[in-house]
Amino acid sequence: MSTSISIKELKELDPSSYQIVDIRDAVEISHGAIPGALAMKTEEIETSDAIDRTKKMIICCSRGRFSVAAAEEAGQEKEVHSCTEK
């Protein structure tokens, strides 16, 4: 299952219930890292041992377009959201 979640909705969730995966590149992250987020390439999500598969996965990118695609791909097995500014 893949859906979008706004920053406002994310702030309303219990922080222990989700894990943020930041798929931006190193240059974009250098302009503002997301505290506690795992930084990785989209293609690493499926096989990464760093992801806690018991939690909701929130995928973030710089504009939302790439996180939506990544969430759709990863969401076949679990609840995955792409984070949007709306």
Side-chain angles (χ1 to χ4, degrees):
M1 175 167 109
S2 164
T3 59
S4 292
I5 187 168
S6 69
I7 293 171
K8 179 183 176 195
E9 292 169 322
L10 181 61
K11 288 180 179 180
E12 294 172 358
L13 293 177
D14 176 357
S16 67
S17 70
Y18 64 85
Q19 185 173 39
I20 297 176
V21 177
D22 190 343
I23 61 171
R24 297 177 297 159
D25 64 31
V27 173
E28 292 172 319
I29 290 173
S30 72
H31 293 285
I34 300 168
L38 294 173
M40 67 179 58
K41 296 178 181 178
T42 303
E43 57 269 16
E44 297 172 336
I45 293 173
E46 290 293 318
T47 58
S48 175
D49 291 333
I51 294 177
D52 184 342
R53 310 250 179 230
T54 65
K55 296 181 178 184
K56 294 176 189 168
M57 186 187 318
I58 311 295
I59 301 176
C60 297
C61 71
S62 59
R63 292 175 188 85
R65 185 176 72 204
F66 296 115
S67 63
V68 169
E72 287 174 357
E73 187 173 317
Q76 296 175 15
E77 301 172 8
K78 60 178 286 171
E79 186 173 358
V80 179
H81 301 272
S82 62
C83 190
T84 61
E85 291 185 34
K86 296 179 183 178

